[in-house]
Amino acid sequence: LASSWGVLGDIQRNRGNWDEAERLYQQSLALRTELGDRSGMAESWGQLGDIQRLRGNWDEAERLFQQSLALSTELGDRAGMASSWGVLGDIQRNRGNWEEAERLYQQC
């Protein structure tokens, strides 16, 4: 169920239906949290962060991607870490923080 909600959220995100995508991602996160699926939680936080990034809510996007990064790091998920660093670099680049963006891209 959690995975299906995530995929349905992806479809809605790709269609530009960000409110519906966010609702589906929240459902996925709630079930993954209930099940203790920490890898899935990290993924859900990244999906929710992406919605905030698309909306231009940089602070909230950064907070969500930092959560995803922290859990990915704890789990040793190097691909998840790289993905989070890349998006965090994008956020800093969009803010004009070139040195911080470069540092994050280097980590990625």
Side-chain angles (χ1 to χ4, degrees):
L1 282 172
S3 293
S4 294
W5 283 327
V7 172
L8 290 169
D10 290 343
I11 291 169
Q12 294 304 317
R13 182 195 65 212
N14 292 339
R15 288 179 171 164
N17 299 327
W18 297 339
D19 290 341
E20 181 63 10
E22 182 177 28
R23 185 186 70 75
L24 289 160
Y25 291 149
Q26 288 287 0
Q27 281 183 269
S28 180
L29 175 61
L31 184 54
R32 287 172 167 174
T33 301
E34 180 183 325
L35 295 172
D37 177 6
R38 295 165 55 80
S39 177
M41 291 165 59
E43 180 183 344
S44 291
W45 282 325
Q47 291 167 322
L48 289 165
D50 196 43
I51 294 294
Q52 295 306 320
R53 183 185 59 81
L54 291 167
R55 289 177 170 156
N57 297 332
W58 308 119
D59 291 343
E60 183 63 8
E62 182 177 30
R63 184 187 71 76
L64 289 160
F65 277 106
Q66 288 288 355
Q67 280 184 271
S68 181
L69 175 61
L71 192 47
S72 293
T73 301
E74 186 178 318
L75 296 171
D77 176 6
R78 295 171 54 85
M81 293 162 60
S83 177
S84 292
W85 281 323
V87 177
L88 289 166
D90 290 342
I91 291 169
Q92 293 305 320
R93 182 182 48 127
N94 288 328
R95 288 176 168 162
N97 297 332
W98 308 114
E99 290 178 14
E100 181 63 8
E102 182 177 18
R103 183 187 70 78
L104 289 161
Y105 288 138
Q106 289 291 338
Q107 284 183 279
C108 177

